[in-house]
Amino acid sequence: MSAVTREAVEACLRQFTDPHLDQDPVSAGCLREVDIQGARVSVRLELGYAAGLFKNGWAQMLQMALENLDGVDSAQVKVDCVIDSHQGQAQVPALAGVKNVIAVASGKGGVGKSTTAANLALALAREGARVGMLDADIYGPSQGIMFGIAEGTRPQVKDQKWFVPLEAHGVQVMSMAFLTDDNTPMVWRGPMVSGALLQLITQTAWNDLDYLVVDMPPGTGDIQLTLAQKVPVAGSVIVTTPQDLALLDAKKGVEMFRKVHIPVLGVVENMAVHICSNCGHAEHLFGEGGGEKLAAQYGVELLASLPLSMAIRMQGDDGKPTTVADPESQIAMIYQDLARKVGARIARAGEPAMPSIEISED
């Protein structure tokens, strides 16, 4: 029986591709330790993104492969998730209590941006991350409804300076809706809106967040520019439908983020297909393949494609979005995969991984 070597272990691991990093764990810099004790091998990997629902299955798959390696009697693979801070634009100071800011944006309204933002935040939380949600849509805040927070609920004030975010479904939530009432429209000019956003985001006492998801208002106006200039955004997600009009506006969103040097992590396509609940017939009501074309045009990834579903709408209106209302459903799994991909792309765009450590006693 030949002696097991580190090279053989790495070669075995290189045969498997992390579906979220699109790389094998060695090339992606995830390998932290290799301990070889005769015919026993122990490996520790470190993922830079939240993957609580994925890591155990990933570890088991790699462990089975190592156990089939020549000279190995037993193998153990441990996978940890360690989320580091990946700040965005240069010269923009970090937010207290927040490691990574994710902007969820669209060029126009009505494409399911807020629903996507809510489910993304909740999916990240299900993967084990500490998550916050900032509803930056000053004119039409909806995250209070999405998260089932009763109308009239107000945040506590700490030290006469800080808003304490409300918590729902394990996510810290802050919205202008918590400071006004549903019958008070925001009749503000651009500078007032920008000032309100900055107060919300910088005067909220975020508690040790791995990710802060920001539900942006539609368009490419003052709020978007304020966010780009004042908030360290690690990456943005563009939400669209396959409809040509929505794609045209979504392109403006991509261009805006690129001009202000915020990475576009990818595109989410909503309402991609409608499946009749009676007969099962599938129909592309808003066109077909639009999100994929947009992603290809700008060299980014189509992160998810979601159907036009009554369940998604009803669950959001009921204050329990799909990822918490029906976590084992096919749609919820799409949101979970979206969350892991978003986290992985932020990690991949960050600093180089730490060097691997080897402890070997043959």
Side-chain angles (χ1 to χ4, degrees):
M1 181 181 293
S2 59
V4 183
T5 64
R6 181 189 178 92
E7 289 73 20
V9 171
E10 288 193 6
C12 180
L13 296 175
R14 287 182 187 275
Q15 298 177 44
F16 297 86
T17 299
D18 182 320
H20 311 108
L21 292 168
D22 294 328
Q23 286 181 298
D24 67 82
V26 180
S27 300
C30 299
L31 185 60
R32 289 294 179 268
E33 295 178 12
V34 176
D35 183 12
I36 302 172
Q37 303 284 345
R40 292 183 298 172
V41 176
S42 295
V43 169
R44 185 171 71 86
L45 303 177
E46 198 171 276
L47 302 180
Y49 62 97
L53 302 183
F54 165 75
K55 66 177 185 178
N56 290 338
W58 182 230
Q60 186 175 10
M61 178 185 297
L62 298 177
Q63 181 174 308
M64 291 174 61
L66 289 172
E67 288 173 346
N68 290 325
L69 197 61
D70 186 33
V72 175
D73 287 341
S74 65
Q76 183 178 35
V77 177
K78 183 180 181 182
V79 178
D80 296 321
C81 296
V82 179
I83 303 168
D84 292 326
S85 176
H86 300 290
Q87 299 299 336
Q89 315 88 298
Q91 311 304 320
V92 178
L95 279 180
V98 179
K99 291 182 180 178
N100 301 286
V101 178
I102 303 167
V104 180
S106 65
K108 68 186 297 293
V111 297
K113 169 189 54 63
S114 293
T115 301
T116 299
N119 278 289
L120 172 60
L122 291 164
L124 286 167
R126 284 194 71 214
E127 296 292 344
R130 292 182 61 84
V131 183
M133 163 61 73
L134 175 70
D135 192 348
D137 194 345
I138 303 295
Y139 294 119
S142 58
Q143 291 301 338
I145 295 172
M146 289 274 186
F147 279 83
I149 297 171
E151 181 184 352
T153 306
R154 298 287 183 259
Q156 294 181 353
V157 178
K158 178 181 178 182
D159 299 332
Q160 297 183 336
K161 180 180 179 182
W162 303 97
F163 295 117
V164 178
L166 304 177
E167 187 163 321
H169 307 307
V171 172
Q172 299 172 41
V173 186
M174 189 61 197
S175 170
M176 180 58 71
F178 304 154
L179 308 178
T180 61
D181 61 67
D182 287 353
N183 297 317
T184 305
M186 296 292 102
V187 188
W188 291 349
R189 295 187 183 274
M192 295 178 67
V193 174
S194 299
L197 170 63
L198 280 180
Q199 280 191 291
L200 274 183
I201 198 167
T202 61
Q203 292 183 223
T204 297
W206 303 110
N207 185 10
D208 191 25
L209 298 183
D210 294 312
Y211 302 103
L212 174 62
V213 178
V214 181
D215 180 14
M216 301 289 293
T220 54
D222 289 334
I223 290 185
Q224 289 80 0
L225 292 175
T226 297
L227 189 84
Q229 294 167 355
K230 303 293 185 179
V231 180
V233 182
S236 60
V237 175
I238 303 297
V239 182
T240 186
T241 65
Q243 188 180 8
D244 289 342
L245 185 59
L247 291 170
L248 183 64
D249 290 333
K251 290 177 183 179
K252 297 176 184 177
V254 175
E255 293 286 1
M256 182 205 69
F257 282 118
R258 290 196 164 182
K259 286 180 180 178
V260 296
H261 308 294
I262 293 176
V264 176
L265 305 174
V267 174
V268 173
E269 182 184 59
N270 276 331
M271 310 178 200
V273 62
H274 173 255
I275 299 175
C276 179
S277 57
N278 291 323
C279 68
H281 174 68
E283 190 171 10
H284 297 276
L285 299 179
F286 295 99
E288 185 175 359
E292 189 172 2
K293 292 174 185 175
L294 176 65
Q297 180 179 349
Y298 288 96
V300 297
E301 184 180 353
L302 180 63
L303 297 171
S305 183
L306 289 141
L308 177 62
S309 167
M310 185 180 295
I312 295 177
R313 192 270 302 168
M314 292 178 64
Q315 290 158 351
D317 287 349
D318 289 341
K320 290 185 177 180
T322 306
T323 46
V324 293
D326 193 4
E328 303 305 319
S329 67
Q330 183 179 1
I331 292 174
M333 291 300 103
I334 295 175
Y335 283 125
Q336 292 302 146
D337 188 61
L338 167 65
R340 292 191 291 265
K341 284 181 177 178
V342 166
R345 268 128 200 81
I346 291 174
R348 196 170 65 181
E351 296 178 355
M354 294 288 288
S356 300
I357 301 172
E358 178 180 5
I359 304 172
S360 178
E361 294 182 13
D362 294 325

